[in-house]
């Protein structure tokens, strides 16, 4: 599968790849690839909601999960640290980083939030963002020499679909390495996402020799914050996985555009996310099969 750089009015100051700070409408996000195969119907509802609305399918909105919101907050705090380090060699003010993290958390939940037993309130979630940011500051950021920080890079797939994502940071010392920060109560495999980042970076003249996921667990406040984990990914295998997912996604999207049939995207009724709590398409006209589950849809 070939990739080509996408041009726009917002070009990189290096004169190479594009670094747009806004996601193009209808673009594919690398983060959607890792769990796409779990249920393409759910993924399509999240990615292509405007296209589906134009086709007559109403996809209701569901609140953001607190895990995703705290993750965004921790990312925002880490970004402040890394940008300061890129400019000055130091990580800057911890207070500034924490403030950015809290502001991002609050922004993410403005339209509602789904809390859980690990983050049962916004007060707890804010403290978790600060604690996770402190772990990143103490154990991860000191070892990074940042190059690209939260820069949006885009590439065009053969079908014309744009894949657009923000890389967390690439480091220059030693082999070029992509570092991607992840948080959550459970670590998941993100090889497809990492592979897509590598493909995009290579298409912009930024080939990577290593990919590392920096995982900071989200745990209850009454538990000690675990140390982060550094999980390496094989680049060739991750890129191969990403290509496969994108080929299936492009194929399914093309079939839907031709037929208008939701069945172009497969559905997985046995997914643990197949419930009204996690899937906006549950028991909607976009996913009539989900009505077969019966009960309340929570397993």
């Amino acid at each position: 599968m070939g990739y080509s750089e996408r041009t726009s009015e917002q070009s990189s100051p290096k004169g190479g790849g594009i670094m747009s700070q806004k996601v193009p409408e209808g673009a594919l996000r690398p983060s959607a690839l890792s769990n796409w195969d779990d249920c393409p119907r759910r993924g399509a509802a999240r990615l292509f909601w405007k296209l589906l609305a134009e086709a007559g399918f109403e996809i209701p909105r569901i609140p953001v999960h607190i895990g995703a919101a705290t993750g965004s907050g921790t990312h925002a705090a880490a970004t402040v640290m890394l940008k300061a380090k890129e400019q000055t060699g130091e990580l800057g003010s911890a207070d500034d980083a924490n403030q950015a993290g809290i502001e991002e958390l609050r922004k993410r939940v403005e339209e509602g939030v789904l809390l859980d037993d690990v983050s049962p309130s916004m007060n707890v979630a804010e403290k978790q963002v600060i604690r996770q940011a402190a772990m990143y500051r103490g154990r991860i950021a000191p070892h990074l020499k940042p190059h690209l920080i939260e820069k949006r890079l885009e590439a065009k797939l053969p079908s014309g679909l744009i894949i657009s994502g923000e890389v967390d940071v690439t480091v220059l010392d030693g082999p070029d390495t992509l570092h991607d920060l992840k948080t959550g109560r459970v670590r998941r495999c993100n090889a497809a996402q990492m592979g897509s980042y590598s493909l995009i970076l290579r298409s912009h003249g930024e080939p990577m020799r290593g990919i590392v996921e920096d995982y900071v667990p989200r745990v209850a406040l009454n538990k000690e914050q675990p140390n982060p984990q550094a999980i390496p990914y094989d680049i060739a295998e991750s890129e191969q996985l990403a290509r496969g997912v994108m080929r299936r996604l492009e194929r399914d999207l093309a079939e839907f555009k031709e037929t208008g049939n939701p069945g172009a995207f497969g559905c997985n009724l046995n997914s643990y996310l197949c419930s009204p709590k996690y899937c906006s398409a549950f028991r909607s006209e976009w996913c009539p099969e989900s009505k077969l589950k019966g009960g309340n849809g929570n397993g």
Side-chain angles (χ1 to χ4, degrees):
M1 179 178 292
Y3 293 81
S4 61
E5 295 181 5
R6 180 172 183 267
T7 57
S8 76
E9 294 179 356
Q10 295 179 321
S11 59
S12 163
K14 294 173 62 179
I18 300 308
M19 299 182 183
S20 167
Q21 295 305 306
K22 293 184 179 180
V23 182
E25 193 171 287
L28 171 62
R29 298 189 303 273
S31 59
L33 299 181
S34 292
N35 63 0
W36 178 265
D37 284 339
D38 180 63
C39 184
R41 192 81 57 84
R42 183 181 70 247
R46 297 181 63 184
L47 272 181
F48 307 124
W49 61 270
K50 185 170 184 180
L51 175 66
L52 304 187
E54 292 173 350
F57 296 98
E58 294 187 11
I59 308 296
R61 296 177 65 89
I62 58 176
V64 65
H65 192 277
I66 191 61
T70 55
S72 295
T74 306
H75 265 89
T79 298
V80 170
M81 300 177 208
L82 294 173
K83 286 186 175 180
K85 188 173 185 180
E86 184 182 40
Q87 295 170 2
T88 69
E90 303 295 333
L91 293 176
S93 164
D95 288 341
D96 289 347
N98 290 338
Q99 183 61 34
I102 296 304
E103 290 177 358
E104 180 64 23
L105 169 66
R106 293 174 179 174
K107 178 181 177 181
R108 286 296 308 276
V109 303
E110 286 177 349
E111 297 184 14
V113 62
L114 180 64
L115 300 169
D116 64 14
D117 57 342
V118 175
S119 307
S121 70
M122 284 299 298
N123 181 55
V124 168
E126 291 180 3
K127 292 178 180 177
Q128 287 168 327
V129 167
I130 292 174
R131 191 164 70 159
Q132 291 171 178
M135 186 59 70
Y136 188 86
R137 184 183 187 89
R139 299 299 182 98
I140 300 173
H143 306 291
L144 302 181
K145 183 180 179 182
H147 168 40
L148 297 177
I149 306 168
E150 290 292 341
K151 294 294 186 179
R152 182 160 297 281
L153 301 177
E154 301 167 8
K156 183 180 291 186
L157 303 184
S159 65
L161 186 66
I162 300 298
I163 182 167
S164 175
E166 286 184 354
V167 295
D168 281 1
V169 58
T170 65
V171 295
L172 291 176
D173 46 341
D176 289 342
T177 303
L178 166 67
H179 280 256
D180 192 78
L181 170 62
K182 296 293 183 188
T183 66
R185 61 192 302 177
V186 178
R187 194 187 79 79
R188 308 187 189 283
C189 179
N190 296 292
Q193 178 182 358
M194 303 303 178
S196 69
Y197 281 146
S198 180
L199 289 168
I200 295 172
L201 284 163
R202 183 140 46 81
S203 76
H204 286 269
E206 298 276 357
M208 294 293 103
R209 296 184 182 179
I211 303 177
V212 176
E213 175 184 313
D214 296 312
Y215 172 62
V216 179
R218 178 174 66 98
V219 298
L221 288 182
N222 61 1
K223 296 183 178 181
E224 183 179 354
Q225 176 66 47
N227 288 329
Q229 302 174 34
I231 299 98
Y233 285 85
D234 182 276
I235 290 182
E237 292 177 355
S238 298
E239 288 188 356
Q240 181 178 0
L241 183 61
R243 286 190 182 98
V245 175
M246 287 188 285
R247 279 196 298 266
R248 292 189 290 277
L249 189 153
E250 288 183 287
R251 177 201 64 200
D252 294 350
L253 180 59
E255 181 180 338
F256 172 71
K257 288 181 176 179
E258 180 179 350
T259 67
N261 186 351
F265 298 97
C267 66
N268 178 12
L269 300 184
N270 288 318
S271 169
Y272 83 97
L273 296 177
C274 186
S275 79
K277 190 175 182 179
Y278 299 111
C279 181
S280 58
F282 189 81
R283 290 184 180 163
S284 70
E285 291 305 310
W286 176 243
C287 189
E289 291 92 337
S290 58
K291 297 175 184 178
L292 298 172
K293 292 194 73 169
N296 59 13
N298 291 317

